[in-house]
Amino acid sequence: KQDGTGNISYDPANHDFMVRTRQAKIDRIEVPDAAVDDPTGEARVLVLGWGSTYGPITAAVRRLRAAGQQVAQTHLRHLNPFPGNLG
């Protein structure tokens, strides 16, 4: 879209400007670090989820822990940008 009017624009300079404008907005987002649920601190497996998978993943992790498995869980709320501690 054209800067200022929102009209359709195929101008390369406008496109570059709008892409940079949107990226600048994303760069200003402060995303908290992802919290890892690992009660023992010894898990070697991390189940990483996002969105509506929280409930099923949490249930599966609880079952695995009840069966004696060391499993950690993290659930993402932001995909762009990722939390800084994901490495």
Side-chain angles (χ1 to χ4, degrees):
K1 295 185 176 186
Q2 186 176 25
D3 180 41
T5 66
N7 295 333
I8 294 173
S9 172
Y10 297 103
D11 177 53
N14 181 73
H15 175 73
D16 181 63
F17 175 76
M18 296 305 289
V19 167
R20 290 176 192 275
T21 300
R22 286 189 290 273
Q23 185 63 50
K25 289 180 182 181
I26 290 172
D27 291 342
R28 289 191 306 265
I29 296 171
E30 292 186 28
V31 177
D33 284 347
V36 176
D37 176 19
D38 183 9
T40 65
E42 298 178 7
R44 294 183 51 111
V45 173
L46 172 68
V47 179
L48 181 63
W50 170 73
S52 63
T53 63
Y54 179 79
I57 287 175
T58 300
V61 167
R62 286 183 185 155
R63 284 184 180 181
L64 289 167
R65 289 177 180 165
Q69 300 292 319
Q70 301 292 330
V71 179
Q73 176 185 0
T74 298
H75 197 77
L76 300 179
R77 293 181 179 263
H78 300 89
L79 295 181
N80 186 17
F82 274 135
N85 66 336
L86 284 185

